[in-house]
C-alpha cells in the first residue's frame, strides 16, 4: 500500500519549491492537486498548483460525501477556501504520493486514510528569513497583496503553534536554511520510510 507524504509549513517556508524539487528527484511520487476558491496568482496554472473553482464546487463535494477537508480563511479580499476532495486522484494501490498541505489538512487526511498511510513532512524556517522571502515573493506579483501576506504570516503563528504541532504528533522537522540540504534530507526520509 502506498503512502501520502504531506509536506507542510508556514507561508514562505519554501514548501512549494521543496515540493517541486523532491518530485524532480523522485519521479515515482504521484501528486494530488487540491482545490481553492482563491484567485490564481501570476505564474500559476489551473490543475497544476490548484484546481481554481467556485464555492459551489466545494459545497457539491460536501453534499456528495467526498469532501475530506476544507479550510476557509477570511482574507482582506474576502473568504478563500482550500479543500481536499476525494475525486479519485489518490489511490493507494498506485504508489506513494507527495502532497502539499497544512497542519489541518494533514490531520484530516490522516483521519480519513489512516495514520499508517499519511506521513507528515514539516518544513521550518526562522521567522525573519520567512518574512523576507514572503516580501520578495509578493514583489514579483503584478499587483502585490502585502496586506494579505501579513495576515497569512500572523495566522501561521497560530495555525502551526507548538501546541498544535505536538497535538498532531509532529515530532520531526526539516530546517530549510539550505534548500539543497533540506531537499536531500526529505528525499532520504521518504526513501527510508517507504521500504
Amino acid at each position: 500500500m502506498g503512502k501520502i507524504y504531506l509536506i507542510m509549513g508556514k507561508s514562505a517556508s519554501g514548501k512549494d519549491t521543496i515540493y517541486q524539487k523532491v518530485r524532480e528527484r523522485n519521479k515515482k511520487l504521484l501528486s494530488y492537486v487540491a482545490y481553492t476558491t482563491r484567485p490564481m496568482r501570476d505564474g500559476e496554472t489551473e490543475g497544476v498548483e490548484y484546481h481554481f473553482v467556485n464555492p459551489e464546487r466545494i459545497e457539491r463535494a460536501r453534499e456528495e460525501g467526498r469532501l475530506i477537508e476544507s479550510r476557509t480563511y477570511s482574507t482582506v479580499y474576502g473568504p478563500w477556501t482550500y479543500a481536499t476532495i476525494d475525486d479519485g486522484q489518490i489511490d493507494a494501490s498506485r504508489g506513494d504520493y507527495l502532497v502539499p498541505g497544512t497542519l489541518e489538512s494533514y490531520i484530516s487526511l490522516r483521519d480519513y486514510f489512516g495514520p499508517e498511510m499519511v506521513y507528515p513532512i514539516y518544513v521550518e524556517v526562522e521567522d525573519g528569513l520567512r518574512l523576507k522571502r514572503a516580501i520578495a515573493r509578493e514583489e514579483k506579483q503584478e499587483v502585490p497583496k502585502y496586506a494579505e501576506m501579513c495576515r497569512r504570516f500572523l495566522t501561521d503563528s497560530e495555525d502551526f503553534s507548538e501546541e498544535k504541532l505536538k497535538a498532531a504528533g509532529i515530532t520531526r522537522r526539516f530546517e530549510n536554511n539550505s534548500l539543497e540540504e533540506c531537499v536531500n534530507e526529505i528525499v532520504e526520509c521518504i526513501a527510508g520510510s517507504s521500504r
Side-chain angles (χ1 to χ4, degrees):
M1 173 167 69
K3 289 186 180 178
I4 300 170
Y5 296 94
L6 190 136
I7 188 165
M8 64 184 135
K10 296 176 182 176
S11 60
S13 62
K15 64 187 174 294
D16 294 334
T17 301
I18 292 169
Y19 169 82
Q20 293 299 331
K21 290 194 172 289
V22 170
R23 292 210 57 227
E24 288 169 11
R25 296 261 306 273
N26 185 341
K27 303 226 186 278
K28 291 183 180 180
L29 288 170
L30 303 168
S31 63
Y32 171 83
V33 180
Y35 293 75
T36 186
T37 62
R38 80 154 166 78
M40 207 180 307
R41 290 184 185 142
D42 296 341
E44 289 183 326
T45 304
E46 161 59 31
V48 176
E49 289 81 11
Y50 290 98
H51 290 295
F52 296 93
V53 298
N54 59 37
E56 292 75 24
R57 172 69 178 89
I58 293 171
E59 187 53 38
R60 188 167 63 246
R62 182 186 318 279
E63 291 166 1
E64 295 168 350
R66 297 183 307 110
L67 185 67
I68 297 172
E69 61 89 25
S70 70
R71 306 162 313 285
T72 300
Y73 300 102
S74 297
T75 76
V76 296
Y77 299 99
W80 290 351
T81 300
Y82 295 80
T84 305
I85 296 173
D86 188 352
D87 59 0
Q89 287 184 68
I90 297 177
D91 178 353
S93 67
R94 292 178 44 214
D96 293 331
Y97 290 79
L98 184 65
V99 176
T102 64
L103 185 58
E104 284 181 57
S105 60
Y106 162 69
I107 293 166
S108 296
L109 283 168
R110 180 195 66 195
D111 293 349
Y112 189 85
F113 290 106
E116 68 286 343
M117 188 172 164
V118 184
Y119 188 99
I121 297 174
Y122 178 57
V123 176
E124 273 191 330
V125 172
E126 185 274 323
D127 280 346
L129 178 55
R130 203 166 55 82
L131 184 56
K132 289 174 189 172
R133 289 177 179 178
I135 292 168
R137 180 174 65 190
E138 278 310 307
E139 288 174 337
K140 294 177 185 173
Q141 300 296 310
E142 188 172 312
V143 180
K145 295 179 172 72
Y146 295 111
E148 175 57 20
M149 179 206 74
C150 291
R151 184 206 62 81
R152 287 180 63 204
F153 188 87
L154 295 173
T155 299
D156 280 346
S157 293
E158 183 177 323
D159 291 348
F160 289 95
S161 71
E162 288 301 319
E163 295 80 19
K164 288 183 179 180
L165 290 168
K166 183 178 179 182
I170 306 298
T171 55
R172 183 155 187 198
R173 296 156 190 248
F174 297 86
E175 295 287 333
N176 185 15
N177 297 322
S178 162
L179 179 61
E180 196 57 35
E181 288 177 20
C182 186
V183 169
N184 287 340
E185 189 178 352
I186 291 170
V187 167
E188 289 171 14
C189 176
I190 290 172
S193 68
S194 65
R195 291 182 187 133

